[in-house]
Amino acid sequence: MPLVEHLRELRNRLAKAVVAIVLVMIVAAFYSEQLMQFLAEPVPKCEDLANSDGGNCAIVSFNTLTSPFTTTIKVSLMAGLIVSSPVWLYQLWAFIAPGLHKHEKKYTYVFVSAAVPLFVGGAYLSYVILPVSIKVLLSLTPGGSANILSLDEVLDFTIRMVLVFGLAFELPLLLIMLNMVGIVSGRRMIGWWRGVVMGVFVFGAVATPTTDPVGMIALSGPIVVLYFVAVGISLLNDRRRARKESTGPADDEASELDLTPESIDPVEPVAALPEQATKDRVNGYDDVT
């Protein structure tokens, strides 16, 4: 299609994605209270302010006049993005799919089917360890002080942890994608294992806000295991690619061209034509030239 048609199609697909997100947001707004309770559930709540002395529990509250409204919008938007993800992901896929080869489409289906459970697994793991992380943070509260937490900050903390764990679980899949396109080989990934393990644990220590090793190990341990799984898959893919290259390209792929420059033979002198030899020449050219 011409460029204008591509832009028109992109506009239509973006409009469909936005409509789906807005519709889910409207429905989620009616259940915003239940969603807030679910996201704030990991916080050990106190029965009253008198019991909030020290770091045993906390009082969850709204600290500003506009906090109930902004928190409701934020929770509804998050629910709209997550619940409507099949719609806008399909619109994105439908826009780029016509430009992909047959084998690239097959790989995309595999990656999407693997990315969703990986992200969900990381998000679920973060929600499981959130109570431990919050208790450790609250335990640092000195005696005589009360913990009064803003619900907006609690939701931000919960969402940040879910996103960090979910996206971190996608890193091994990214390595497999780089191997599929031929950027990184499995043998090179094996040589990186010491630095990768060290970097993953440093990332786990920075990404998790708690001072205990539970959150760091809970995040870093599965990523290290997934990294070695990615290395094994990459090694198998390298062997498959080597066998495939020996049989030639696929039906919808162009053959590789040999663009190696070749030497040029010396130019042979050309004798002047008889009619040119008899004419008057100026600076080596005839008067016609």
Side-chain angles (χ1 to χ4, degrees), residues 230-250:
V231 170
I233 295 176
S234 299
L235 291 174
L236 294 176
N237 182 63
D238 290 341
R239 295 180 181 178
R240 181 197 60 81
R241 183 185 293 116
R243 292 194 301 266
K244 183 179 179 180
E245 290 177 353
S246 61
T247 60

Side-chain angles (χ1 to χ4, degrees), residues 57-191:
C57 57
I59 298 293
V60 180
S61 64
F62 291 106
N63 294 337
T64 62
L65 183 63
T66 58
S67 291
F69 175 75
T70 57
T71 305
T72 301
I73 296 297
K74 184 182 299 184
V75 172
S76 301
L77 177 59
M78 183 191 66
L81 290 174
I82 294 176
V83 176
S84 66
S85 58
V87 177
W88 57 263
L89 284 176
Y90 170 77
Q91 298 299 326
L92 176 63
W93 165 253
F95 180 74
I96 66 175
L100 299 178
H101 292 291
K102 182 179 180 180
H103 70 282
E104 292 173 339
K105 293 180 182 180
K106 178 181 65 176
Y107 292 151
T108 305
Y109 289 131
V110 175
F111 288 141
V112 171
S113 60
V116 173
L118 284 175
F119 184 86
V120 173
Y124 176 76
L125 180 61
S126 69
Y127 193 80
V128 169
I129 70 169
L130 265 175
V132 179
S133 302
I134 293 177
K135 286 181 180 179
V136 171
L137 293 175
L138 293 178
S139 65
L140 302 177
T141 305
S145 301
N147 291 297
I148 303 178
L149 305 179
S150 170
L151 181 59
D152 191 29
E153 294 181 356
V154 173
L155 296 181
D156 288 342
F157 179 80
T158 305
I159 295 172
R160 191 183 308 117
M161 289 287 291
V162 169
L163 291 178
V164 167
F165 274 70
L167 295 177
F169 273 51
E170 304 289 345
L171 294 178
L173 186 62
L174 177 62
L175 291 176
I176 296 178
M177 293 176 63
L178 295 177
N179 176 262
M180 290 292 183
V181 297
I183 297 178
V184 181
S185 64
R187 187 174 298 274
R188 179 175 296 181
M189 292 167 59
I190 292 179

Side-chain angles (χ1 to χ4, degrees), residues 196-216:
V196 169
V197 172
M198 182 65 183
V200 166
F201 275 91
V202 171
F203 170 76
V206 174
T208 53
T210 60
T211 57
D212 65 305
V214 176
M216 180 185 69

